[in-house]
Structure formats: structure tokens, C-alpha cells
Amino acid sequence: MTKIDSTLAKTLLEKLWEVRLFEENTSRLYKEGVLPGFVHLSLGQEACAVGACQALQESDFITSTHRGHGHCIAKGADLNRMMSELYGKETGYSKGRGGSMHIADVNAGILGANGIVGQSTTLAIGAALSFQTKKLDNVVLAFFGEGASGSGAVHEAMNIAGIWKLPVIFFCESNKYAELSPFDVHVPIKNISDRSKGYGFKGITIDGNNLVDVYSNVLEAVKLARNGNGPTLIEAKTNRWHGHYEGDPQKYKPSSELDEKNWDDPIIKFQDFIKKEKIISETEIDKIKEIVDKKIIEAIKFAEQSKNPSAEILLEDVYASDF
Amino acid sequence: MPALSPTMEEGTLSKWLVSEGDNIKAGDIIAEIETDKATMEIEAVDEGILSKILVPGGSQNVSVNSVIAHLTNNIEDSNNQTQEKKNNISPEDNNVTYKPSQNENDFANYSEPQKTENFISVREALRDAIAEEMRKDDRVFLMGEEVAEYQGAYKVSQGLLDEFGSKRVIDTPITEHGFAGIGVGAAFRGLKPIVEFMTFNFAMQAIDHIVNSAAKTLYMSGGSVSVPIVFRGPNGAASRVAAQHSQNYASWYSQIPGLKVVAPYSASDAKGLLKSSILDPNPIVFLENELLYGEKFSIQEDKETYIPIGKAKKIVEGNDVTIIAYSISVKFAIEAADYLLQNHGVNCEVIDLRTLSPLDEETVLDSLKKTNRVVVVEEGWSICGIASEISALIMERGFDDLDAPVIRVTGKNVPMPYAANLEKLALPCVDEIVKAVKAVSYI
């Protein structure tokens, strides 16, 4: 098993809480009518985002989905600019033009969240091809869901990645529901990872709520990709605690799944692990949450105090001006 | 009598290849039909028992659409299941079934829709249209993401699964390219699919099948394979969902020969046009609007109201300036017309195009003859848009009637922004229409 030392444990726990509290606050702000539009939250899936991104280097890239807040935070996006984007403010990542589904930060290795299901995979292999062409040893990790796995784009991406041995990790967050219907409406087999056989690369199904499992498996896949041995398909079985979007009444879920008591909490799981292994003390564990809590409150304040985008911003950036 | 080409009016039923009492399966060749151009075998689309041959083999000059035999469905009575209805190839065929709406020229209800029980929402109107056509014709089925168990992502298909079951209201995986192609293939072989896109933004994944398969096959197959399919779902700007979920694709589809494009505003038009679209033997792109789903309009409880595709509608009668719009822009056009009448005494005529392809050129040009001034409102982008097409039409066919250049009021040429203030700026508004009307009136 991969060794988790105290520094790494603190980083991981901090990221987990950043995702959790960002999402919880977003949910609250949406309920209060502060945030508009479509907001797709990743509550319950924090270990996927954090474990996968922690296994990457800063110069590696991810492509993300409509449910992408966690991925961006885990890969190092700025909480203030993210929250500000959700508020539609000028200080946001897209100057208020993109909102929840379109957060990109190239400096942090985030090639962008994409609101069209499945597209993250083809875009990822494009980036991977650029690294292969330029003989760089960077890798790309594409997040997608089991719903996307049925789309043509995903098949085409995996096929090409297999043939060309591209430095890419296909990371499927298999969260039991695609949009508004359960897994078996979308997928005829038990494990998405079985499909990798058809593309000639390794596939593995893991517990996506176990941070250490996610981290160590992605780490291995990254090693393969970085050494020129091509892609891996990792299917992380996890749970989407909330609906497809905030406000979704979730009538398609059995009532037991709506009861918080039954939720498999990846943060509690990780905290239990570090307590058991005595990696960091309980006081430190509590302190991390407090620190993150403050950061999120600051991010919200930052967003609230930021200006609405000026009218000029409407027409900016439609075309690149310098050639 | 099936039409074997769009121009066929009559033909010879050379011979029957089946006899009365035969049990027929879908795909069985049942007769030979001869026209002045060709002799062709026709296939049964449905299964059942051939209960009565009405036109014997060797009969000449049999008109298209006349009843040639009765096919008894095991479930339904033979009188409702005639073979000739199942081979709709000619685009003209359906004209015979159109009945003009009783309130075609009743504008009064439009200006101030009241929320009473006599009014129904656009959402309900669409559902009723689908349900009514599905009851009449078991070849019609609905397919798409979340249409069955979830009752529609925007609840348009509410109740349909219960009534028609999971073989006719089908949940698909998230595979727009896949299920659009499945729909086109099913239409090739005689079914009448209604393909719902959760929004038309996602139909971009399927555009190859819409354009290259659905629109072109009749032409490429020498008129032998028709594609009776409806692609429907919300189109245009929603609210605060940014660039990938807020876009008007009307002009994309309207440019494609072989497609008909419908974009209604009111509930009665949504219902009557969707019913006509389902009957139509051509591929129809039926553009709804998310923000209109909940709007209520007066509607006649006449189930046989088929509103003809290709006919615009005068919503407000006026003499001074013509405002042309479609879909949600009609709402803003009506508001602008009200404002201009109250505050400036300008009497605007408002025309709802309803169908974008084929375009009702005559209604546009007739109105221009009367007012000599035109403003076109379109939520989509200005470049190569529907409004541009109307402007070109007027330039070519109505130039001498113009007293001022046509003005287009359209969305700004930027991807849809997310911030509320920017989104508002990006979309056409009542104020811009008012300014445009004043400009063409030189006031």
C-alpha cells in the first residue's frame, strides 16, 4: 500500500474538506436563491476528486465534467475565483461568463469543465497527444461518469488512446445515477472497467469512497502513462448524495439513499484511517476543518464583494486578438 | 394507395401478392404498384389480417391516399387500420388531413394570457399532442433521455409511460448520436419516432444523423425511403446556464434542405403543429422553448386541430410597422407593439412565423405591402440567421414596398454569458424592438 505520511494526510484531508464545504455551501446558496442556473454537486464523491488529483503532478492536466467543482478544487483551483464564478462576478475564472459548469485554470492544470456529457474524454486524449508529440512526460486524467460511458465520444476516445498508447487515465466516477436514472438504464454490465479489454489496456474497479485506494491506484496508472505504457481505465464506485442538479426532487432514488444516516462518507472513512494509523492527531484533524471553513466563508465574502461584470466584458474574448 | 414519389397522384395496382384472410407480418411484400415511372413492390409496415381487398389487382388510375384494403389489427378494428395510411411518402399527403384551427385569427387571447383553468401550458399542449397521435397510430413512439420513468427532464412526457408502456416511451442512455440514428433507422422501416433531446444543445452530438441521415435519405434514395421523424426539445436561451446550455439552433437546421423546422410560441400552436409534425412524412426539427413550457394560453379542446406546417400567423393586426418574430421573441414583439401603440400611437402588426422552413413568404410580403416597414426579431445570433433570411427575402421580392431599411433585432454575437446582467445584454429585449420600430418609422 502507498505510504501516507502526516504531511500528505493533512493535504488530503484539507482538500476533502475544501470540496465538501464548498459543495455544501453552494447547495445552501442555491436553496437560498443566491446562486442560479444548473448546479451539479459532487457531495459524496470527494475521495475520487482528491485521490485522483493528488496522484498527479502540478504540470499534469485534468479534464472535467458538469459535476466538476471537486475536480477543480482538488487540482488546485482558487476557491475565491471559483465561488466568484458561481456568483457570476467579474473576478470569477470566466469573468462571470461561464458559471458552475465552465471552470478552467490552465495554470493549475485544469483544461476546463465541460457541460456536454462524454466530451471530457476526447478533449483529454487531444491534450495527451500534444504531450506525446512534444515528448513531454505529462499525463492527462479525464473525469467522466458511467452515464457518459455509453456515449460515442467515450468509445472513440478510448479506442484511439489504446491504439496510440496515449498518456491518459480514464477516471470514471461511477456514482449509481446518470442524470435522473439509475446505472442499469445506462449500462448493461456490472463494471465499466471491463470495457478496457476491448481497447487493449488495463481496467480496474475500485472503492471510490476510499481515498487511499483511489490515490494508490491512480498513482500506478500515472506511472504507466508517464512511462509510455498507455492508458488505464479506473472505475471508482462512489455515491452521489444529492440529485443530478440542485433542486432535483430525486424521486427515482429509494428512500434509504436519501437518508443521510446511510451515506458512505469518504471523509469519515479517511479520518478513521488516519486515526487508526495514528498519522495525525484528532486535534489536528479538527483544526483542518476549522481552517477550511474559514476559507470557504472568505471565498463567499470575496464573491459577494466582487463587482458584476462590466458591459464591455460581454463582447470581449469572442475572438483571440493576437496571432 | 401509397405515394411512391412526392409527385405521384395516381397509379395502377398491378397485382396483389396476398389474399384476403392472410396473416401479414411487417415487411411482407403485399402488392405491386405501377406508376408512369416505375413498378414497385410495397411492403406491409404493420402486422395483422388482410380482412378485405377493396381495389382488385389490375385496377388503373387509383388515386394516392384512397383505401385499397383493410388490415385488421389483432387489437383494433380494421376500419381504423388501412394499409394506405402506412405508406406516407409524399409530403403532400398530409394536407388532406389538415383542418384549419377554429381560432386561427383570434388574436385577442394572446396579449394577456390569464392563468385560469381554461388555459393550458405549452408543456401540457405538447404532451397532449404526443398522446393523441400515439393513441391514433401505434407506429408513433417517444424516445430519449429521461422521457419514461422520470416523465421527461422538463416533464413534457408526463403520464405517457403509464398510458403507453415502456415499448413506446423509451428511456435511452446518454447517447444522442446513437438514439438519433436509431430513430432515423426506425423511420426508414415505417415507424414514426419522436426523438426528444433533453435540450437542442445536446443534439449537436446527433447532428450528423439529423443532417446526413434524416434530411437527405429521401432525396438520395430516389424518393423511395422517407424519414417520418420528429426531433424535438427545448431550444434557445434558458436562464443562467451559460454558453453550452443556452443557444438558438433555428438557423442551423433551417438551412438544411429536407428538414422542416417548426418553432411555435403559443400552446395551441405547439399542440397543432406538433400533431402535424408527427403526421408529416418528413423529418421535422421541432424547436420548443424552455422558458415557454410553463406559460399558459387559451386552447380549443378540439383534438383534430392540425395546424399546417409552413403557415405564419398574424398575432396582432396593424398598419404602421410589421414586427416579425418566432418562438419566445413573439412575446417581446407583442409587448413592444402594446407599448408603441400606447405611448407613440404606432400601430404594429405582429407576425409569428411558427414555421421557419418552409418559410411563409407570402404572409411576410403581404404585411410588408400594407406597412412598408419591417423589424425582424430573433433570439439567435444575427449572422446567417432567420432574420437575415427574411431581410434578404424582402430585398429580393419586396424592395419596392419598402419605405425604410429592414432592421434586425437579434442576440449579440457572443457565446451566452452566465452573469445575469451580461445574459440580459446578450439577448434581444422589448426596448431594442421599440427603438428599431421607431427607427424604421423615422420617429
Side-chain angles (χ1 to χ4, degrees), chain B residues 317-346:
Chain B
E317 185 102 38
N319 299 312
D320 297 332
V321 177
T322 302
I323 309 176
I324 298 168
Y326 66 91
S327 190
I328 197 166
S329 298
V330 173
K331 186 177 171 168
F332 306 130
I334 293 168
E335 283 174 34
D338 275 354
Y339 176 87
L340 285 155
L341 187 62
Q342 303 300 328
N343 296 283
H344 297 279
V346 178

PDB file of all heavy atoms in Angstrom, chain B residues 317-346:
ATOM      1  N   GLU B 317     -52.947  42.732 -35.446  1.00  0.00           N
ATOM      2  CA  GLU B 317     -53.198  43.405 -36.730  1.00  0.00           C
ATOM      3  C   GLU B 317     -52.758  44.863 -36.606  1.00  0.00           C
ATOM      4  O   GLU B 317     -53.016  45.503 -35.591  1.00  0.00           O
ATOM      5  CB  GLU B 317     -54.704  43.323 -37.005  1.00  0.00           C
ATOM      6  CG  GLU B 317     -55.125  43.853 -38.348  1.00  0.00           C
ATOM      7  CD  GLU B 317     -55.398  42.723 -39.336  1.00  0.00           C
ATOM      8  OE1 GLU B 317     -55.938  41.696 -38.924  1.00  0.00           O
ATOM      9  OE2 GLU B 317     -55.040  42.900 -40.518  1.00  0.00           O
ATOM     10  N   GLY B 318     -52.058  45.371 -37.594  1.00  0.00           N
ATOM     11  CA  GLY B 318     -51.638  46.773 -37.543  1.00  0.00           C
ATOM     12  C   GLY B 318     -51.303  47.283 -38.924  1.00  0.00           C
ATOM     13  O   GLY B 318     -51.227  46.503 -39.878  1.00  0.00           O
ATOM     14  N   ASN B 319     -51.101  48.603 -39.045  1.00  0.00           N
ATOM     15  CA  ASN B 319     -50.868  49.201 -40.367  1.00  0.00           C
ATOM     16  C   ASN B 319     -49.523  49.889 -40.517  1.00  0.00           C
ATOM     17  O   ASN B 319     -49.101  50.182 -41.626  1.00  0.00           O
ATOM     18  CB  ASN B 319     -51.946  50.260 -40.668  1.00  0.00           C
ATOM     19  CG  ASN B 319     -53.330  49.658 -40.685  1.00  0.00           C
ATOM     20  OD1 ASN B 319     -53.544  48.634 -41.323  1.00  0.00           O
ATOM     21  ND2 ASN B 319     -54.250  50.262 -39.942  1.00  0.00           N
ATOM     22  N   ASP B 320     -48.857  50.187 -39.396  1.00  0.00           N
ATOM     23  CA  ASP B 320     -47.700  51.087 -39.485  1.00  0.00           C
ATOM     24  C   ASP B 320     -46.372  50.348 -39.702  1.00  0.00           C
ATOM     25  O   ASP B 320     -45.601  50.723 -40.568  1.00  0.00           O
ATOM     26  CB  ASP B 320     -47.606  51.937 -38.220  1.00  0.00           C
ATOM     27  CG  ASP B 320     -48.827  52.839 -38.069  1.00  0.00           C
ATOM     28  OD1 ASP B 320     -49.420  53.186 -39.118  1.00  0.00           O
ATOM     29  OD2 ASP B 320     -49.192  53.174 -36.938  1.00  0.00           O
ATOM     30  N   VAL B 321     -46.108  49.369 -38.886  1.00  0.00           N
ATOM     31  CA  VAL B 321     -44.833  48.638 -38.973  1.00  0.00           C
ATOM     32  C   VAL B 321     -45.112  47.144 -38.747  1.00  0.00           C
ATOM     33  O   VAL B 321     -45.922  46.801 -37.883  1.00  0.00           O
ATOM     34  CB  VAL B 321     -43.826  49.130 -37.891  1.00  0.00           C
ATOM     35  CG1 VAL B 321     -42.533  48.308 -37.939  1.00  0.00           C
ATOM     36  CG2 VAL B 321     -43.519  50.608 -38.057  1.00  0.00           C
ATOM     37  N   THR B 322     -44.435  46.285 -39.507  1.00  0.00           N
ATOM     38  CA  THR B 322     -44.565  44.845 -39.285  1.00  0.00           C
ATOM     39  C   THR B 322     -43.420  44.368 -38.399  1.00  0.00           C
ATOM     40  O   THR B 322     -42.257  44.639 -38.706  1.00  0.00           O
ATOM     41  CB  THR B 322     -44.498  44.085 -40.622  1.00  0.00           C
ATOM     42  OG1 THR B 322     -45.537  44.575 -41.475  1.00  0.00           O
ATOM     43  CG2 THR B 322     -44.666  42.594 -40.415  1.00  0.00           C
ATOM     44  N   ILE B 323     -43.753  43.689 -37.301  1.00  0.00           N
ATOM     45  CA  ILE B 323     -42.713  43.050 -36.480  1.00  0.00           C
ATOM     46  C   ILE B 323     -42.840  41.542 -36.689  1.00  0.00           C
ATOM     47  O   ILE B 323     -43.903  40.967 -36.455  1.00  0.00           O
ATOM     48  CB  ILE B 323     -42.862  43.360 -34.978  1.00  0.00           C
ATOM     49  CG1 ILE B 323     -43.005  44.870 -34.732  1.00  0.00           C
ATOM     50  CG2 ILE B 323     -41.681  42.806 -34.194  1.00  0.00           C
ATOM     51  CD1 ILE B 323     -43.254  45.235 -33.263  1.00  0.00           C
ATOM     52  N   ILE B 324     -41.753  40.945 -37.145  1.00  0.00           N
ATOM     53  CA  ILE B 324     -41.766  39.504 -37.420  1.00  0.00           C
ATOM     54  C   ILE B 324     -40.912  38.797 -36.369  1.00  0.00           C
ATOM     55  O   ILE B 324     -39.803  39.250 -36.062  1.00  0.00           O
ATOM     56  CB  ILE B 324     -41.213  39.224 -38.833  1.00  0.00           C
ATOM     57  CG1 ILE B 324     -42.119  39.893 -39.871  1.00  0.00           C
ATOM     58  CG2 ILE B 324     -41.108  37.729 -39.099  1.00  0.00           C
ATOM     59  CD1 ILE B 324     -41.539  39.944 -41.266  1.00  0.00           C
ATOM     60  N   ALA B 325     -41.447  37.719 -35.822  1.00  0.00           N
ATOM     61  CA  ALA B 325     -40.707  37.010 -34.769  1.00  0.00           C
ATOM     62  C   ALA B 325     -41.104  35.543 -34.774  1.00  0.00           C
ATOM     63  O   ALA B 325     -42.004  35.142 -35.518  1.00  0.00           O
ATOM     64  CB  ALA B 325     -41.004  37.633 -33.404  1.00  0.00           C
ATOM     65  N   TYR B 326     -40.420  34.751 -33.956  1.00  0.00           N
ATOM     66  CA  TYR B 326     -40.828  33.363 -33.741  1.00  0.00           C
ATOM     67  C   TYR B 326     -40.420  32.938 -32.348  1.00  0.00           C
ATOM     68  O   TYR B 326     -39.582  33.575 -31.710  1.00  0.00           O
ATOM     69  CB  TYR B 326     -40.220  32.426 -34.809  1.00  0.00           C
ATOM     70  CG  TYR B 326     -38.714  32.300 -34.765  1.00  0.00           C
ATOM     71  CD1 TYR B 326     -38.095  31.301 -34.009  1.00  0.00           C
ATOM     72  CD2 TYR B 326     -37.907  33.183 -35.468  1.00  0.00           C
ATOM     73  CE1 TYR B 326     -36.715  31.187 -33.964  1.00  0.00           C
ATOM     74  CE2 TYR B 326     -36.523  33.076 -35.431  1.00  0.00           C
ATOM     75  CZ  TYR B 326     -35.932  32.075 -34.672  1.00  0.00           C
ATOM     76  OH  TYR B 326     -34.568  31.982 -34.636  1.00  0.00           O
ATOM     77  N   SER B 327     -41.069  31.881 -31.878  1.00  0.00           N
ATOM     78  CA  SER B 327     -40.810  31.339 -30.544  1.00  0.00           C
ATOM     79  C   SER B 327     -40.927  32.441 -29.480  1.00  0.00           C
ATOM     80  O   SER B 327     -41.806  33.294 -29.565  1.00  0.00           O
ATOM     81  CB  SER B 327     -39.448  30.644 -30.507  1.00  0.00           C
ATOM     82  OG  SER B 327     -39.295  29.927 -29.307  1.00  0.00           O
ATOM     83  N   ILE B 328     -40.031  32.448 -28.517  1.00  0.00           N
ATOM     84  CA  ILE B 328     -40.199  33.362 -27.372  1.00  0.00           C
ATOM     85  C   ILE B 328     -40.111  34.834 -27.782  1.00  0.00           C
ATOM     86  O   ILE B 328     -40.658  35.706 -27.115  1.00  0.00           O
ATOM     87  CB  ILE B 328     -39.186  33.031 -26.251  1.00  0.00           C
ATOM     88  CG1 ILE B 328     -39.622  33.664 -24.935  1.00  0.00           C
ATOM     89  CG2 ILE B 328     -37.770  33.444 -26.644  1.00  0.00           C
ATOM     90  CD1 ILE B 328     -38.900  33.138 -23.715  1.00  0.00           C
ATOM     91  N   SER B 329     -39.467  35.121 -28.906  1.00  0.00           N
ATOM     92  CA  SER B 329     -39.367  36.519 -29.351  1.00  0.00           C
ATOM     93  C   SER B 329     -40.736  37.115 -29.675  1.00  0.00           C
ATOM     94  O   SER B 329     -40.901  38.330 -29.649  1.00  0.00           O
ATOM     95  CB  SER B 329     -38.465  36.625 -30.590  1.00  0.00           C
ATOM     96  OG  SER B 329     -37.170  36.202 -30.268  1.00  0.00           O
ATOM     97  N   VAL B 330     -41.714  36.243 -29.971  1.00  0.00           N
ATOM     98  CA  VAL B 330     -43.066  36.741 -30.247  1.00  0.00           C
ATOM     99  C   VAL B 330     -43.600  37.476 -29.018  1.00  0.00           C
ATOM    100  O   VAL B 330     -44.247  38.512 -29.124  1.00  0.00           O
ATOM    101  CB  VAL B 330     -44.006  35.566 -30.628  1.00  0.00           C
ATOM    102  CG1 VAL B 330     -45.444  36.037 -30.757  1.00  0.00           C
ATOM    103  CG2 VAL B 330     -43.531  34.909 -31.915  1.00  0.00           C
ATOM    104  N   LYS B 331     -43.295  36.924 -27.862  1.00  0.00           N
ATOM    105  CA  LYS B 331     -43.744  37.537 -26.610  1.00  0.00           C
ATOM    106  C   LYS B 331     -43.247  38.983 -26.505  1.00  0.00           C
ATOM    107  O   LYS B 331     -44.006  39.894 -26.170  1.00  0.00           O
ATOM    108  CB  LYS B 331     -43.194  36.691 -25.459  1.00  0.00           C
ATOM    109  CG  LYS B 331     -43.654  37.086 -24.105  1.00  0.00           C
ATOM    110  CD  LYS B 331     -43.082  36.110 -23.090  1.00  0.00           C
ATOM    111  CE  LYS B 331     -43.337  36.611 -21.699  1.00  0.00           C
ATOM    112  NZ  LYS B 331     -43.058  35.597 -20.695  1.00  0.00           N
ATOM    113  N   PHE B 332     -41.954  39.156 -26.805  1.00  0.00           N
ATOM    114  CA  PHE B 332     -41.374  40.502 -26.712  1.00  0.00           C
ATOM    115  C   PHE B 332     -41.926  41.409 -27.812  1.00  0.00           C
ATOM    116  O   PHE B 332     -42.117  42.604 -27.614  1.00  0.00           O
ATOM    117  CB  PHE B 332     -39.846  40.421 -26.782  1.00  0.00           C
ATOM    118  CG  PHE B 332     -39.265  39.484 -25.768  1.00  0.00           C
ATOM    119  CD1 PHE B 332     -38.340  38.514 -26.142  1.00  0.00           C
ATOM    120  CD2 PHE B 332     -39.662  39.546 -24.440  1.00  0.00           C
ATOM    121  CE1 PHE B 332     -37.827  37.624 -25.207  1.00  0.00           C
ATOM    122  CE2 PHE B 332     -39.149  38.664 -23.500  1.00  0.00           C
ATOM    123  CZ  PHE B 332     -38.235  37.704 -23.887  1.00  0.00           C
ATOM    124  N   ALA B 333     -42.199  40.836 -28.977  1.00  0.00           N
ATOM    125  CA  ALA B 333     -42.753  41.614 -30.075  1.00  0.00           C
ATOM    126  C   ALA B 333     -44.137  42.139 -29.696  1.00  0.00           C
ATOM    127  O   ALA B 333     -44.465  43.303 -29.954  1.00  0.00           O
ATOM    128  CB  ALA B 333     -42.830  40.753 -31.336  1.00  0.00           C
ATOM    129  N   ILE B 334     -44.933  41.278 -29.038  1.00  0.00           N
ATOM    130  CA  ILE B 334     -46.285  41.695 -28.625  1.00  0.00           C
ATOM    131  C   ILE B 334     -46.185  42.813 -27.581  1.00  0.00           C
ATOM    132  O   ILE B 334     -46.899  43.813 -27.652  1.00  0.00           O
ATOM    133  CB  ILE B 334     -47.079  40.495 -28.054  1.00  0.00           C
ATOM    134  CG1 ILE B 334     -47.349  39.476 -29.169  1.00  0.00           C
ATOM    135  CG2 ILE B 334     -48.383  40.962 -27.426  1.00  0.00           C
ATOM    136  CD1 ILE B 334     -47.864  38.127 -28.665  1.00  0.00           C
ATOM    137  N   GLU B 335     -45.260  42.637 -26.643  1.00  0.00           N
ATOM    138  CA  GLU B 335     -45.091  43.671 -25.601  1.00  0.00           C
ATOM    139  C   GLU B 335     -44.653  44.992 -26.217  1.00  0.00           C
ATOM    140  O   GLU B 335     -45.139  46.060 -25.843  1.00  0.00           O
ATOM    141  CB  GLU B 335     -44.049  43.203 -24.571  1.00  0.00           C
ATOM    142  CG  GLU B 335     -44.600  42.171 -23.599  1.00  0.00           C
ATOM    143  CD  GLU B 335     -43.513  41.599 -22.682  1.00  0.00           C
ATOM    144  OE1 GLU B 335     -42.569  42.346 -22.319  1.00  0.00           O
ATOM    145  OE2 GLU B 335     -43.608  40.406 -22.369  1.00  0.00           O
ATOM    146  N   ALA B 336     -43.748  44.914 -27.177  1.00  0.00           N
ATOM    147  CA  ALA B 336     -43.271  46.141 -27.837  1.00  0.00           C
ATOM    148  C   ALA B 336     -44.415  46.791 -28.613  1.00  0.00           C
ATOM    149  O   ALA B 336     -44.584  48.020 -28.576  1.00  0.00           O
ATOM    150  CB  ALA B 336     -42.107  45.801 -28.780  1.00  0.00           C
ATOM    151  N   ALA B 337     -45.227  45.977 -29.287  1.00  0.00           N
ATOM    152  CA  ALA B 337     -46.353  46.514 -30.054  1.00  0.00           C
ATOM    153  C   ALA B 337     -47.336  47.223 -29.136  1.00  0.00           C
ATOM    154  O   ALA B 337     -47.821  48.315 -29.438  1.00  0.00           O
ATOM    155  CB  ALA B 337     -47.037  45.386 -30.824  1.00  0.00           C
ATOM    156  N   ASP B 338     -47.620  46.608 -27.977  1.00  0.00           N
ATOM    157  CA  ASP B 338     -48.516  47.231 -26.983  1.00  0.00           C
ATOM    158  C   ASP B 338     -47.978  48.581 -26.548  1.00  0.00           C
ATOM    159  O   ASP B 338     -48.679  49.581 -26.516  1.00  0.00           O
ATOM    160  CB  ASP B 338     -48.611  46.336 -25.734  1.00  0.00           C
ATOM    161  CG  ASP B 338     -49.663  45.261 -25.892  1.00  0.00           C
ATOM    162  OD1 ASP B 338     -50.376  45.305 -26.915  1.00  0.00           O
ATOM    163  OD2 ASP B 338     -49.747  44.386 -25.008  1.00  0.00           O
ATOM    164  N   TYR B 339     -46.689  48.577 -26.216  1.00  0.00           N
ATOM    165  CA  TYR B 339     -46.050  49.795 -25.724  1.00  0.00           C
ATOM    166  C   TYR B 339     -46.091  50.900 -26.777  1.00  0.00           C
ATOM    167  O   TYR B 339     -46.408  52.058 -26.496  1.00  0.00           O
ATOM    168  CB  TYR B 339     -44.599  49.487 -25.331  1.00  0.00           C
ATOM    169  CG  TYR B 339     -43.829  50.707 -24.900  1.00  0.00           C
ATOM    170  CD1 TYR B 339     -43.857  51.141 -23.572  1.00  0.00           C
ATOM    171  CD2 TYR B 339     -43.077  51.447 -25.829  1.00  0.00           C
ATOM    172  CE1 TYR B 339     -43.178  52.282 -23.184  1.00  0.00           C
ATOM    173  CE2 TYR B 339     -42.392  52.582 -25.442  1.00  0.00           C
ATOM    174  CZ  TYR B 339     -42.436  53.000 -24.122  1.00  0.00           C
ATOM    175  OH  TYR B 339     -41.770  54.132 -23.741  1.00  0.00           O
ATOM    176  N   LEU B 340     -45.782  50.519 -28.013  1.00  0.00           N
ATOM    177  CA  LEU B 340     -45.726  51.519 -29.094  1.00  0.00           C
ATOM    178  C   LEU B 340     -47.105  52.102 -29.390  1.00  0.00           C
ATOM    179  O   LEU B 340     -47.234  53.290 -29.687  1.00  0.00           O
ATOM    180  CB  LEU B 340     -45.124  50.883 -30.356  1.00  0.00           C
ATOM    181  CG  LEU B 340     -43.616  50.676 -30.279  1.00  0.00           C
ATOM    182  CD1 LEU B 340     -43.169  49.542 -31.194  1.00  0.00           C
ATOM    183  CD2 LEU B 340     -42.878  51.983 -30.634  1.00  0.00           C
ATOM    184  N   LEU B 341     -48.118  51.270 -29.270  1.00  0.00           N
ATOM    185  CA  LEU B 341     -49.481  51.757 -29.508  1.00  0.00           C
ATOM    186  C   LEU B 341     -49.890  52.720 -28.396  1.00  0.00           C
ATOM    187  O   LEU B 341     -50.399  53.804 -28.656  1.00  0.00           O
ATOM    188  CB  LEU B 341     -50.448  50.561 -29.565  1.00  0.00           C
ATOM    189  CG  LEU B 341     -51.882  50.889 -29.976  1.00  0.00           C
ATOM    190  CD1 LEU B 341     -51.926  51.463 -31.391  1.00  0.00           C
ATOM    191  CD2 LEU B 341     -52.760  49.641 -29.902  1.00  0.00           C
ATOM    192  N   GLN B 342     -49.613  52.324 -27.155  1.00  0.00           N
ATOM    193  CA  GLN B 342     -50.000  53.161 -26.005  1.00  0.00           C
ATOM    194  C   GLN B 342     -49.234  54.475 -25.968  1.00  0.00           C
ATOM    195  O   GLN B 342     -49.807  55.524 -25.688  1.00  0.00           O
ATOM    196  CB  GLN B 342     -49.713  52.427 -24.680  1.00  0.00           C
ATOM    197  CG  GLN B 342     -50.374  51.068 -24.501  1.00  0.00           C
ATOM    198  CD  GLN B 342     -51.885  51.133 -24.548  1.00  0.00           C
ATOM    199  OE1 GLN B 342     -52.471  52.135 -24.136  1.00  0.00           O
ATOM    200  NE2 GLN B 342     -52.510  50.092 -25.083  1.00  0.00           N
ATOM    201  N   ASN B 343     -47.935  54.411 -26.243  1.00  0.00           N
ATOM    202  CA  ASN B 343     -47.089  55.587 -25.995  1.00  0.00           C
ATOM    203  C   ASN B 343     -46.750  56.410 -27.229  1.00  0.00           C
ATOM    204  O   ASN B 343     -46.385  57.566 -27.105  1.00  0.00           O
ATOM    205  CB  ASN B 343     -45.795  55.150 -25.319  1.00  0.00           C
ATOM    206  CG  ASN B 343     -46.056  54.557 -23.955  1.00  0.00           C
ATOM    207  OD1 ASN B 343     -46.307  55.279 -22.996  1.00  0.00           O
ATOM    208  ND2 ASN B 343     -46.075  53.247 -23.887  1.00  0.00           N
ATOM    209  N   HIS B 344     -46.811  55.799 -28.383  1.00  0.00           N
ATOM    210  CA  HIS B 344     -46.404  56.539 -29.585  1.00  0.00           C
ATOM    211  C   HIS B 344     -47.466  56.500 -30.674  1.00  0.00           C
ATOM    212  O   HIS B 344     -47.258  57.042 -31.752  1.00  0.00           O
ATOM    213  CB  HIS B 344     -45.084  55.973 -30.133  1.00  0.00           C
ATOM    214  CG  HIS B 344     -43.941  56.121 -29.169  1.00  0.00           C
ATOM    215  ND1 HIS B 344     -43.236  57.292 -29.009  1.00  0.00           N
ATOM    216  CD2 HIS B 344     -43.424  55.239 -28.279  1.00  0.00           C
ATOM    217  CE1 HIS B 344     -42.309  57.119 -28.077  1.00  0.00           C
ATOM    218  NE2 HIS B 344     -42.405  55.880 -27.617  1.00  0.00           N
ATOM    219  N   GLY B 345     -48.558  55.819 -30.409  1.00  0.00           N
ATOM    220  CA  GLY B 345     -49.616  55.726 -31.416  1.00  0.00           C
ATOM    221  C   GLY B 345     -49.179  54.960 -32.664  1.00  0.00           C
ATOM    222  O   GLY B 345     -49.793  55.088 -33.719  1.00  0.00           O
ATOM    223  N   VAL B 346     -48.102  54.183 -32.538  1.00  0.00           N
ATOM    224  CA  VAL B 346     -47.647  53.395 -33.694  1.00  0.00           C
ATOM    225  C   VAL B 346     -48.365  52.043 -33.662  1.00  0.00           C
ATOM    226  O   VAL B 346     -48.332  51.332 -32.665  1.00  0.00           O
ATOM    227  CB  VAL B 346     -46.119  53.173 -33.664  1.00  0.00           C
ATOM    228  CG1 VAL B 346     -45.669  52.314 -34.851  1.00  0.00           C
ATOM    229  CG2 VAL B 346     -45.387  54.500 -33.677  1.00  0.00           C
TER     230      VAL B 346
END
